[in-house]
Amino acid sequence: SFVSVQEHAYPADELMPLTCRGRVRGQEPSRGDVDDALGKFSLTLIDTLDTLVVLNKTKEFEEAVKKVIKDVNLDNDIVVSVFETNIRVLGGLLGGHSVAIMLKEKGEFMQWYSGELLHMAKELGYKLLPAFNTTSGLPYPRVNLKFGVRHPEARTGTETDTCTACAGTLILEFAALSRFTGTSIFEEYARKALDFIWEKRQRSSNLVGVTINIHTGDWVRKDSGVGAGIDSYYEYLLKAYVLLGDDSFLERFNTHYDAIMRYISQPPLLLDVHIHKPMLNARTWMDSLLAFFPGLQVLKGDIRPAIETHEMLYQVIKKHNFLPEAFTTDFRVHWAQHPLRPEFAESTYFLYKATGDPYYLEVGKTLIENLNKYARVPCGFAAMKDVRTGSHEDRMDSFFLAEMFKYLYLLFADKEDMIFDIEDYIFTTEAHLLPLWLSTTNQTISKKNTTTEYTELDDSNFDWTCPNTQILFPNDPMFAQSIREPLKNVVDKSCPRGISRAEESLGSGPKPPLRARDFMASNPEHLEILKKMGVSLIHLKDGRVQLVQHAVQAASSLDAEDGLRFMQEMIELSSQQQKEQQLPPRAVQIVSHPFFGRVVLTAGPAQFGMDLSKHKAGTRGFVATIKPYNGCSEITNPEAVKEKIALMQRGQCMFAEKARNIQKAGAIGGIVIDDNEGSSSDTAPLFQMAGDGKNTDDITIPMLFLFNKEGNIILDAIREYEAVEVLLSDKAKDRATIFKGKTIPNYIIDSNLEMDNMDQKLSENDSQKQSSEETTSPSQGVGLASEEPEGGDSSDVAQPDPLSPAPADSDSISTSDEDSYVPDTEASSIPEPECAQADKQPQEQKTDTESDSKANWDNKVPPMESILADWNEDIEAFEMMEKDEL
């Protein structure tokens, strides 16, 4: 990975491992807030510095430091995240400086080093200080490296909110900078921000919210957990005590920790609650960032809940190969992405250090094997776009090199493998190393206790606490196993058995006078019943209707209950009907040299042709470009297409017509590539290809759709290697399955997956994959599209529309004027009846049909600005529905 960064990406901030090039901000399609980490300062190189020393790559470290000193410019006119720049760049420079002076003291390496990284860190620290120019002391979330905040040319400084972690994850780096340099201002600013958050905590629950107003201190989002938005605030309170020796930080952490264990911890789950009503859960899903918490509990010494939560997370990983970005309380996929986050590896390392239990070495081995089997690509490791299909995203974040490799190496390393004592350092949230001797250096800040209203806590939550920093249970190796044992089947056991219609009809309990499945918006009697139940019907301009219930408007309390049941039924029925109309995304896997199955592209499915979910082996063949490229007339190069998978361009006729033409030419499958330049599944919702309104049973080959960016990866491969073989399937296959029965080139067999074990694992892999593939659902909104003939009429395609937003304090559901319903999956908290591997994710539906008039075809290739505007509207609408997006 590091060599690929140097060869293909440097001096860019990040590597794009699928296309083997650097990600330069402004030259790639914007990814929103994610791009705020990029500042044109060679982010990945700086973030990886101390990892090189941990892995005993001292020569590479010395060369990397020289590169940073020589090439990196911190004075760019670019707006960056204060939080990300602090933990990745400032932390990376300080971590690099820490190990550089350690190596210099040892006398062999870095003898020329004179604190250059520290000078750069101080320069960067001063560039971040303008963000703290608020009355509260909380920093603005973004700052311009050249112009600061609220400068006419800064393009930032208008924000009002920041996340708790964003403002509360500064003290380690800023205090270390002050202690290293003797300049106290950095530590002072970070302490002031922490003091303000502490004063604004909810006093009755002692919890903090996710986002806070940086000017007034009011909580904007009042849900509280240990995952995204809050996570590292708690981490830095405890670690600030360890590094700085200030008791007030420990007192604050213990106060918060008591509240977390009282309200948020529901072993083995960690569920968000409302800060004012902490007994009320705020959501029914968990995000992957909370995987750091067992490691923090080990540092605290509370070992039992750490083992429980870690084991639950491991069971989820064993089910999906990776930890989904978010998953529900019954362990279904909520957000299917996995950007190679290191938090679970971090907790695994700390639990092994605490228990000495070799079980955690096996966990680490599983992580390494999954990375090599599913995420490794020719230029490094690619993030998972969907853990269910195995599709990749052209992304390798800097934290993957900064943290993942560091924790995995330390998990397996013996003391003799290390060139320094890791116990002399504390890890920042980005796993950068800060020396513990800083606690007694340049103490310019008074250590008086600024924690007010601190009271001694009931210690019942800490019964299993053991403050020993060595192995906690050396004489009882079965201790951790006894805690894990009840949880080993928790994921499988959580899926409820569905209730059949027959069982439902036999059930007792009151039935509303009108059932959702019988409702018709055009029936006057139905409308009268709705009115009696307090349900009002609103006609929207686009022909849909919106249902809203206000219990106070019902004729009686019993009618209000009937109305509530009706709304719940409507949401559940709508959800079922929408799922029936949707198909999950598919996978296009490049299996020829030099890819060998390592590159997986997310593909949109078709409503016609071979159903890849019923053909587990998929369709495999070499690709060939057809003539004419649009595939709208008889293929003129059938000899090139026969027995191959045809590549064609979207547009000018129906998808089904393209499929018939290539099938007639002898193709065994087809891939339609979007003709909109720059379109990508990274930024646009996938859609499924609809038929032409006629019977499509004659189409028997599989058809998949790729956006322009993903399609160009295949086209580029053809230009470079000519013969390119792909596998069309419902989800990516591991290489053992792809090459089953064939000779596997030695150079694609990873050293961690020995050839001798390959055959032994085949049957196991096949059986596991069969069970995991039996129930698969889409991870993201799948829009519906059908190509149209030029100047022709559009075929009618039954397709539900998205719901319109309804007032937050009322139950609402939208439906068409007849009897086709669409669910608001966020509004519904009704559990799914079927035990699916990956379900219940907010869906975004998109009907994408070509224009039905010839006039529109005169402009059939819209400008890029128009496409981006449409995407932005879709993305904004989705974000309005899903404000909890990571």
Side-chain angles (χ1 to χ4, degrees), residues 441-459:
T441 303
N442 289 327
Q443 295 185 44
T444 55
I445 305 293
S446 169
K447 284 193 352 182
K448 68 178 182 179
N449 189 341
T450 57
T451 300
T452 58
E453 302 177 27
Y454 175 74
T455 56
E456 287 297 319
L457 299 169
D458 173 17
D459 204 36

Tab-separated table of all heavy atoms in Angstrom, residues 441-459:
chain	number	residue	atom	x	y	z
A	441	THR	N	6.849	17.901	31.167
A	441	THR	CA	7.631	18.849	30.375
A	441	THR	C	6.820	20.113	30.096
A	441	THR	O	5.657	20.028	29.676
A	441	THR	CB	8.041	18.212	29.032
A	441	THR	OG1	8.776	17.013	29.293
A	441	THR	CG2	8.881	19.172	28.208
A	442	ASN	N	7.428	21.286	30.303
A	442	ASN	CA	6.801	22.573	29.952
A	442	ASN	C	5.370	22.673	30.456
A	442	ASN	O	4.435	22.980	29.710
A	442	ASN	CB	6.811	22.766	28.432
A	442	ASN	CG	8.199	23.032	27.896
A	442	ASN	OD1	9.025	23.664	28.567
A	442	ASN	ND2	8.479	22.555	26.692
A	443	GLN	N	5.175	22.431	31.740
A	443	GLN	CA	3.825	22.516	32.302
A	443	GLN	C	3.456	23.974	32.525
A	443	GLN	O	3.535	24.498	33.621
A	443	GLN	CB	3.745	21.738	33.618
A	443	GLN	CG	3.958	20.234	33.435
A	443	GLN	CD	3.751	19.484	34.733
A	443	GLN	OE1	2.807	19.744	35.458
A	443	GLN	NE2	4.645	18.558	35.022
A	444	THR	N	3.032	24.617	31.459
A	444	THR	CA	2.684	26.041	31.538
A	444	THR	C	1.249	26.246	31.995
A	444	THR	O	0.842	27.352	32.291
A	444	THR	CB	2.865	26.694	30.159
A	444	THR	OG1	2.086	25.962	29.193
A	444	THR	CG2	4.322	26.659	29.743
A	445	ILE	N	0.467	25.145	32.045
A	445	ILE	CA	-0.933	25.245	32.434
A	445	ILE	C	-1.092	24.785	33.870
A	445	ILE	O	-0.570	23.743	34.262
A	445	ILE	CB	-1.827	24.362	31.521
A	445	ILE	CG1	-1.594	24.723	30.058
A	445	ILE	CG2	-3.294	24.497	31.890
A	445	ILE	CD1	-2.063	26.112	29.694
A	446	SER	N	-1.812	25.564	34.667
A	446	SER	CA	-2.077	25.149	36.035
A	446	SER	C	-2.925	23.891	36.021
A	446	SER	O	-3.886	23.773	35.269
A	446	SER	CB	-2.824	26.263	36.784
A	446	SER	OG	-3.292	25.776	38.021
A	447	LYS	N	-2.587	22.934	36.894
A	447	LYS	CA	-3.318	21.675	36.920
A	447	LYS	C	-4.443	21.695	37.941
A	447	LYS	O	-4.885	20.663	38.413
A	447	LYS	CB	-2.370	20.515	37.223
A	447	LYS	CG	-1.529	20.146	36.048
A	447	LYS	CD	-0.798	18.832	36.146
A	447	LYS	CE	-0.829	18.128	37.443
A	447	LYS	NZ	-0.052	16.886	37.435
A	448	LYS	N	-4.943	22.865	38.280
A	448	LYS	CA	-6.029	22.914	39.255
A	448	LYS	C	-7.273	22.256	38.661
A	448	LYS	O	-7.486	22.255	37.457
A	448	LYS	CB	-6.334	24.374	39.621
A	448	LYS	CG	-6.954	25.193	38.491
A	448	LYS	CD	-7.270	26.592	38.969
A	448	LYS	CE	-7.937	27.406	37.853
A	448	LYS	NZ	-8.275	28.747	38.258
A	449	ASN	N	-8.074	21.710	39.531
A	449	ASN	CA	-9.259	20.977	39.099
A	449	ASN	C	-10.340	21.965	38.674
A	449	ASN	O	-10.871	22.700	39.501
A	449	ASN	CB	-9.764	20.086	40.245
A	449	ASN	CG	-10.852	19.157	39.783
A	449	ASN	OD1	-11.464	19.384	38.749
A	449	ASN	ND2	-11.092	18.103	40.554
A	450	THR	N	-10.656	21.993	37.389
A	450	THR	CA	-11.681	22.914	36.892
A	450	THR	C	-13.034	22.216	36.753
A	450	THR	O	-13.972	22.797	36.261
A	450	THR	CB	-11.280	23.480	35.517
A	450	THR	OG1	-11.067	22.380	34.607
A	450	THR	CG2	-10.001	24.285	35.622
A	451	THR	N	-13.099	20.954	37.159
A	451	THR	CA	-14.354	20.221	37.058
A	451	THR	C	-15.269	20.630	38.195
A	451	THR	O	-14.932	20.471	39.364
A	451	THR	CB	-14.108	18.702	37.105
A	451	THR	OG1	-13.266	18.353	36.025
A	451	THR	CG2	-15.407	17.922	37.019
A	452	THR	N	-16.413	21.186	37.845
A	452	THR	CA	-17.366	21.620	38.866
A	452	THR	C	-18.444	20.572	39.052
A	452	THR	O	-18.745	19.791	38.166
A	452	THR	CB	-18.019	22.947	38.445
A	452	THR	OG1	-18.661	22.754	37.176
A	452	THR	CG2	-16.990	24.040	38.320
A	453	GLU	N	-19.022	20.583	40.237
A	453	GLU	CA	-20.141	19.698	40.556
A	453	GLU	C	-19.789	18.233	40.335
A	453	GLU	O	-20.607	17.441	39.885
A	453	GLU	CB	-21.389	20.072	39.742
A	453	GLU	CG	-21.849	21.501	39.960
A	453	GLU	CD	-23.043	21.822	39.081
A	453	GLU	OE1	-23.802	20.909	38.726
A	453	GLU	OE2	-23.215	22.992	38.757
A	454	TYR	N	-18.553	17.871	40.652
A	454	TYR	CA	-18.172	16.464	40.525
A	454	TYR	C	-18.535	15.755	41.821
A	454	TYR	O	-18.230	16.222	42.910
A	454	TYR	CB	-16.676	16.324	40.263
A	454	TYR	CG	-16.219	14.889	40.254
A	454	TYR	CD1	-16.520	14.062	39.171
A	454	TYR	CD2	-15.543	14.347	41.341
A	454	TYR	CE1	-16.128	12.743	39.149
A	454	TYR	CE2	-15.142	13.036	41.331
A	454	TYR	CZ	-15.440	12.229	40.237
A	454	TYR	OH	-15.060	10.925	40.225
A	455	THR	N	-19.221	14.648	41.716
A	455	THR	CA	-19.601	13.885	42.890
A	455	THR	C	-19.052	12.470	42.781
A	455	THR	O	-18.873	11.949	41.689
A	455	THR	CB	-21.133	13.816	43.030
A	455	THR	OG1	-21.674	13.278	41.817
A	455	THR	CG2	-21.709	15.196	43.275
A	456	GLU	N	-18.777	11.867	43.917
A	456	GLU	CA	-18.313	10.489	43.911
A	456	GLU	C	-19.386	9.593	43.302
A	456	GLU	O	-20.574	9.750	43.575
A	456	GLU	CB	-17.978	10.031	45.334
A	456	GLU	CG	-16.702	10.648	45.887
A	456	GLU	CD	-15.483	10.237	45.072
A	456	GLU	OE1	-15.402	9.064	44.674
A	456	GLU	OE2	-14.615	11.101	44.844
A	457	LEU	N	-18.977	8.656	42.488
A	457	LEU	CA	-19.926	7.824	41.753
A	457	LEU	C	-20.131	6.489	42.446
A	457	LEU	O	-19.229	5.957	43.093
A	457	LEU	CB	-19.404	7.577	40.331
A	457	LEU	CG	-19.205	8.832	39.489
A	457	LEU	CD1	-18.444	8.473	38.224
A	457	LEU	CD2	-20.543	9.457	39.134
A	458	ASP	N	-21.334	5.960	42.264
A	458	ASP	CA	-21.601	4.590	42.668
A	458	ASP	C	-20.728	3.671	41.822
A	458	ASP	O	-20.777	3.711	40.598
A	458	ASP	CB	-23.089	4.289	42.439
A	458	ASP	CG	-23.412	2.821	42.673
A	458	ASP	OD1	-22.595	2.138	43.294
A	458	ASP	OD2	-24.497	2.390	42.235
A	459	ASP	N	-19.919	2.844	42.490
A	459	ASP	CA	-18.937	2.060	41.749
A	459	ASP	C	-19.472	0.705	41.288
A	459	ASP	O	-18.715	-0.154	40.859
A	459	ASP	CB	-17.688	1.835	42.616
A	459	ASP	CG	-16.449	1.569	41.774
A	459	ASP	OD1	-16.335	2.181	40.701
A	459	ASP	OD2	-15.624	0.738	42.182
